[in-house]
Amino acid sequence: MHSLRSFDELFSVVCEYLRGKVSEINYTLWVKDIIPVGMEGKSVRLRVTNKFKKNIVEEKYIPLLLQTFEEVLGFPVDISVECDEEISSSNVIRLSNELFESTPSGDYEFTFDTFIVGSSNKFAYAASIAVASNPGGAYNPLFIYGASGLGKTHLLNAIKNEITKTLPNKNLLLVKGDNFTNELIQHIQSGSTARFHEKYRTADALLMDDVQFIGGKESTMEEFFHTFNTLYQDGKQIILTSDRPPKEIKTLEDRLRTRFEWGLLADVQIPDFETRIAIIRRKAELLQIEMPDDVAEYIANRIKNNIRQLEGTVKRIKAYKLIQGIPPSIISAQSSIKDILNDSQPVPVTIEKIISEVGRMYNVSAAEIKSNKRNSNISNARQVSMYIVREITQISMSLVGEEFGGRDHSTVVYAMQQVEKNMKKDPRFKEMISDILNNIRNA
């Protein structure tokens, strides 16, 4: 067992190394107050003051601590984190609410009143107001499209909430595109598709978020085609959102693409500077913090493409104020933006997710793709899965083969060649691959 003094000195060195790997704010918030308890063999014991900090340190900083200890000592260690008296459950709930909720009811309600209107979204906003005011009689269908994080889901929910408020007896259904597919599969497996038809084809309004995810799934598109026709002919409102316009959803059947263009297409674009400032101020108001003009402008000048990132930055600034008493400032904004941008980098897409998405497209299971079954549909799905795994993860072909039941390098090379050859000679196949890649990257 190292003496307390020698371990204190060791931990001071570790902290100095670690200080260069994290922002000053994060170091002050989470690392500086860690208490070194002791070290026995390769087991390191650390302590923090409460469970809240323990959870943050374990979730965010253990990998960095492990790496830094190994750099200092020359060998790997195990780390356990203890905590002093846990804060009471009521305080945990209070702190959690203050940090992560925008209003007493959670995140602010998705209503038209809380939607910040600017030049980038005013057309989609006006169209949504019109549809909510006169469902089935204004624009049908309404198709809202734009990049992730720009407010499409907010508008979709605002329409639903407004119709519910003015016409409380209406049967409104809001569903995500991939959930529609999963629900259909469950009903097919249980032999209860009649119930599925009854649910969706008798709705007074159908609101589907991320409709691009039904593209390429034959059974889903067939089902949605008939659902769309039934609702449209009955004068029921249909509202759809997507990350791209119908013509760019390459795996969507022409008959659906045409129907999606029957009504009104409304795009949501990246918000301009003034709109970004308004969003920051609105979020700060909801979180009950005073946001200095220079801080709001600093954030707006650095986060331009995603409303959720703007709001997340304001939430983190609030967290610094609550936990450490640091008022909103350029320094806390710098650290918050860095954390938000790091957190928002796409999590490496797992191979399982890729196989699952390809399997849905080909109507086969992930287990079948990884199996030794050789029928044409499964083999094609397997080759496409290998191609997309390689395309997205960039892992070696040998590792790709290991992920698919230990297949050898030559099998993966053949699969890649087949997919590339088919893409060259078959434009529709190439479009399908493009759509699968887009769906996986945007999921």
Side-chain angles (χ1 to χ4, degrees):
M1 175 75 128
H2 289 252
S3 70
L4 182 59
R5 181 176 175 185
S6 66
F7 184 60
D8 272 347
E9 292 169 353
L10 169 63
F11 191 65
S12 294
V13 175
V14 168
C15 286
E16 283 306 308
Y17 271 66
L18 187 59
R19 194 167 194 161
K21 299 179 181 180
V22 299
S23 68
E24 191 62 30
I25 291 287
N26 283 343
Y27 179 84
T28 302
L29 280 172
W30 309 115
V31 179
K32 184 179 178 181
D33 294 333
I34 295 175
I35 302 163
V37 177
M39 180 175 177
E40 186 170 3
K42 294 184 178 181
S43 298
V44 171
R45 291 171 56 207
L46 306 174
R47 189 170 75 244
V48 293
T49 53
N50 59 57
K51 190 173 181 182
F52 182 78
K53 278 197 171 184
K54 179 176 185 288
N55 290 340
I56 296 293
V57 169
E58 287 180 335
E59 181 182 346
K60 298 284 188 182
Y61 295 99
I62 286 293
L64 279 173
L65 284 164
L66 288 170
Q67 178 187 344
T68 309
F69 264 103
E70 186 169 356
E71 289 174 2
V72 172
L73 293 171
F75 58 84
V77 299
D78 298 316
I79 297 176
S80 61
V81 181
E82 306 164 2
C83 67
D84 294 337
E85 272 192 283
E86 295 184 1
I87 51 178
S88 68
S89 59
S90 61
N91 282 338
V92 170
I93 293 170
R94 177 190 60 77
L95 185 56
S96 176
N97 285 344
E98 288 187 70
L99 280 175
F100 302 116
E101 293 186 356
S102 306
T103 66
S105 61
D107 209 350
Y108 60 73
E109 288 186 272
F110 286 140
T111 66
F112 290 120
D113 289 339
T114 59
F115 188 84
I116 303 298
V117 184
S119 60
S120 59
N121 57 31
K122 61 184 179 182
F123 181 69
Y125 175 81
S128 299
I129 289 276
V131 165
S133 303
N134 186 17
Y139 308 112
N140 200 21
L142 172 61
F143 193 103
I144 305 171
Y145 67 92
S148 177
L150 297 183
K152 302 186 302 295
T153 300
H154 188 139
L155 286 174
L156 195 69
N157 281 273
I159 294 170
K160 180 176 183 292
N161 289 334
E162 184 66 23
I163 295 174
T164 299
K165 184 171 70 176
T166 56
L167 301 167
N169 295 323
K170 292 291 184 181
N171 175 23
L172 311 181
L173 290 179
L174 192 156
V175 64
K176 293 181 71 67
D178 50 354
N179 289 342
F180 184 85
T181 297
N182 294 335
E183 193 176 339
L184 174 61
I185 291 170
Q186 291 171 3
H187 280 280
I188 291 173
Q189 290 173 342
S190 63
S192 57
T193 52
R195 287 214 309 268
F196 185 85
H197 297 162
E198 176 69 17
K199 174 181 177 179
Y200 283 99
R201 297 182 192 181
T202 59
D204 292 306
L206 175 61
L207 305 92
M208 182 173 286
D209 205 7
D210 290 329
V211 71
Q212 72 270 13
F213 287 120
I214 73 169
K217 302 170 179 71
E218 291 185 10
S219 296
T220 305
M221 288 192 291
E222 178 72 19
E223 181 62 39
F224 193 71
F225 173 77
H226 294 296
T227 298
F228 185 102
N229 284 348
T230 300
L231 294 176
Y232 187 84
Q233 289 164 7
D234 290 345
K236 304 302 174 64
Q237 182 66 55
I238 302 164
I239 308 109
L240 310 168
T241 73
S242 173
D243 63 354
R244 48 199 185 271
K247 66 181 180 181
E248 292 182 14
I249 309 175
K250 302 301 184 182
T251 52
L252 201 63
E253 291 178 347
D254 288 340
R255 59 180 181 171
L256 277 177
R257 190 181 295 115
T258 301
R259 280 163 173 74
F260 291 173
E261 293 172 344
W262 277 354
L264 182 68
L265 303 183
D267 66 330
V268 180
Q269 299 173 358
I270 294 170
D272 58 24
F273 178 77
E274 291 77 12
T275 305
R276 297 197 299 275
I277 289 287
I279 290 166
I280 292 165
R281 294 203 177 288
R282 174 62 172 162
K283 193 67 176 180
E285 178 188 338
L286 290 166
L287 287 169
Q288 299 178 342
I289 58 173
E290 292 185 16
M291 184 67 68
D293 290 345
D294 60 338
V295 178
E297 290 175 10
Y298 181 87
I299 297 168
N301 277 319
R302 282 155 182 80
I303 296 183
K304 302 177 181 180
N305 300 332
N306 193 303
I307 291 169
R308 283 198 291 268
Q309 289 179 352
L310 288 173
E311 296 178 341
T313 299
V314 180
K315 279 187 177 182
R316 297 221 177 198
I317 290 173
K318 168 79 176 217
Y320 292 139
K321 185 174 186 297
L322 279 173
I323 298 169
Q324 208 69 12
I326 301 172
S329 65
I330 297 293
I331 293 175
S332 63
Q334 285 175 334
S335 183
S336 299
I337 289 170
K338 179 181 175 184
D339 290 342
I340 286 290
L341 294 180
N342 286 342
D343 287 352
S344 67
Q345 296 304 308
V347 176
V349 181
T350 65
I351 290 169
E352 289 74 16
K353 287 180 181 177
I354 293 171
I355 294 173
S356 175
E357 177 63 23
V358 175
R360 280 203 297 269
M361 195 69 77
Y362 278 87
N363 199 25
V364 298
S365 69
E368 286 175 320
I369 289 175
K370 288 188 172 185
S371 73
N372 291 320
K373 293 181 179 178
R374 294 174 178 264
N375 76 50
S376 175
N377 198 42
I378 294 174
S379 293
N380 290 338
R382 187 180 298 124
Q383 289 177 351
V384 169
S385 296
M386 288 180 176
Y387 176 86
I388 292 179
V389 165
R390 169 77 171 162
E391 183 75 15
I392 288 181
T393 67
Q394 295 296 303
I395 63 176
S396 70
M397 293 194 187
S398 296
L399 287 176
V400 173
E402 288 179 18
E403 293 291 341
F404 286 82
R407 287 172 166 81
D408 61 30
H409 176 272
S410 62
T411 302
V412 181
V413 172
Y414 177 76
M416 303 287 290
Q417 291 172 342
Q418 287 297 110
V419 172
E420 288 170 355
K421 184 173 74 174
N422 289 335
M423 287 171 67
K424 287 179 181 177
K425 71 179 184 181
D426 185 350
R428 290 187 67 82
F429 180 79
K430 183 178 180 180
E431 289 174 351
M432 182 191 75
I433 297 296
S434 175
D435 258 16
I436 295 174
L437 284 166
N438 283 330
N439 288 346
I440 291 169
R441 285 170 174 150
N442 293 331

